[in-house]
Amino acid sequence: FVFSINCIYRIAIIIIIMAKATVPMTAEMQQLANDPNFIVEFAVGDPVPELVPQDRKSGIKFSGVYFEKTKRYIMKRARMSKEDVRIFDYETGHVVMVSHHPGKDPYAEFDPLGLNDSGDQHKVQGGEWESACDVTSRDHRMQNFKIRPKHMSRHGRQYIRRPNDETLMNVAKMGKLETQSMRPHFEVCNEQSDDRVYTIIADMMERTFTIKNEQGDDVAQVAKTGKAIIQTA
């Protein structure tokens, strides 16, 4: 694994704090002190996660596409646009979905400089993350959706919506007091409610993002490649 200097520095500070601590440690800090394997997972994520198969009736339902074995996809930024991201099927190499600027499908028109769709209807006001985008399906089994930020939000809440503006789910960062963890946590809630369905836990380097259900099962994992870590360090 490639460790950044910043990550090593933070882990060293945490270990020093634990060594000198006179207050009760959190469950995460106790695990860091007693489990060497967890130190690696804490720093760079679990390299070989054991994903637990899920019942079709559980979780948040969207397109209704299911697989009998673990499915893998690759997200890759397009060369001709800093905004477009392509999602490929790992097995076939086919483009499954495309994330792009609101209202502009790169497969429908070629505009890498962003000269079109610059009107007010495509501008997003507010939002902590400013990650507004449309995701267009290239697979007939999957549906289009769009991501829009909440206008005023402490934790950068994002709404994932169908093309008709029906909210499917929302994602927001969780506070460290709530999680009792030094690692970044995010919650995925049903529709516009606060009913948490999944929790996303990142490692300290944010190399991996592990998605867990309410039972604590690892449902999915998003991981950066070694090349991506070096390019974004």
Side-chain angles (χ1 to χ4, degrees), residues 7-225:
C7 181
I8 296 174
Y9 172 76
R10 282 187 288 178
I11 293 174
I13 292 297
I14 291 167
I15 293 174
I16 292 172
I17 291 174
M18 289 192 299
K20 296 183 177 181
T22 57
V23 296
M25 294 191 296
T26 64
E28 181 181 72
M29 294 173 69
Q30 291 176 356
Q31 196 170 0
L32 277 172
N34 299 318
D35 187 354
N37 292 327
F38 182 70
I39 296 176
V40 176
E41 182 179 339
F42 176 85
V44 296
D46 188 349
V48 188
E50 295 184 7
L51 303 182
V52 179
Q54 300 297 297
D55 189 279
R56 296 189 178 192
K57 296 181 181 179
S58 65
I60 297 174
K61 300 176 183 64
F62 182 47
S63 294
V65 179
Y66 302 95
F67 300 96
E68 296 298 328
K69 61 180 181 179
T70 301
K71 190 68 175 176
R72 186 177 179 185
Y73 296 95
I74 296 176
M75 294 181 65
K76 188 175 182 181
R77 190 174 298 278
R79 293 181 180 273
M80 298 299 295
S81 172
K82 66 179 182 179
E83 296 175 333
D84 298 340
V85 176
R86 313 290 157 86
I87 303 174
F88 298 86
D89 187 307
Y90 178 80
E91 296 176 349
T92 65
H94 295 158
V95 177
V96 178
M97 308 197 85
V98 182
S99 170
H100 54 85
H101 184 77
K104 181 179 65 179
D105 182 354
Y107 279 82
E109 58 180 300
F110 188 72
D111 182 29
L113 299 180
L115 302 177
N116 296 325
D117 294 327
S118 58
D120 291 338
Q121 70 272 23
H122 296 292
K123 293 182 180 178
V124 179
Q125 303 296 330
E128 183 178 336
W129 291 352
E130 298 181 353
S131 62
C133 67
D134 290 351
V135 181
T136 302
S137 173
R138 304 293 297 173
D139 186 325
H140 68 278
R141 299 172 299 174
M142 299 184 180
Q143 301 179 24
N144 302 341
F145 62 93
K146 52 189 178 181
I147 302 174
R148 297 292 184 269
K150 186 176 181 180
H151 290 304
M152 297 296 291
S153 173
R154 287 177 54 198
H155 301 296
R157 191 168 298 276
Q158 311 286 296
Y159 293 113
I160 290 80
R161 293 172 174 165
R162 299 181 189 271
N164 63 359
D165 283 333
E166 175 190 353
T167 301
L168 177 69
M169 55 183 159
N170 66 85
V171 184
K173 192 170 185 179
M174 301 172 66
K176 285 183 169 52
L177 288 177
E178 179 183 3
T179 63
Q180 293 292 295
S181 171
M182 290 167 283
R183 293 176 293 173
H185 282 60
F186 305 84
E187 63 177 3
V188 181
C189 301
N190 193 36
E191 299 178 346
Q192 297 191 50
S193 70
D194 295 329
D195 299 332
R196 188 183 307 153
V197 181
Y198 302 110
T199 301
I200 304 173
I201 304 176
D203 57 63
M204 292 298 287
M205 275 189 66
E206 297 189 3
R207 188 194 79 89
T208 63
F209 293 80
T210 302
I211 303 170
K212 296 178 176 287
N213 61 15
E214 285 300 274
Q215 289 72 45
D217 300 330
D218 289 353
V219 176
Q221 187 190 74
V222 180
K224 290 182 181 179
T225 63

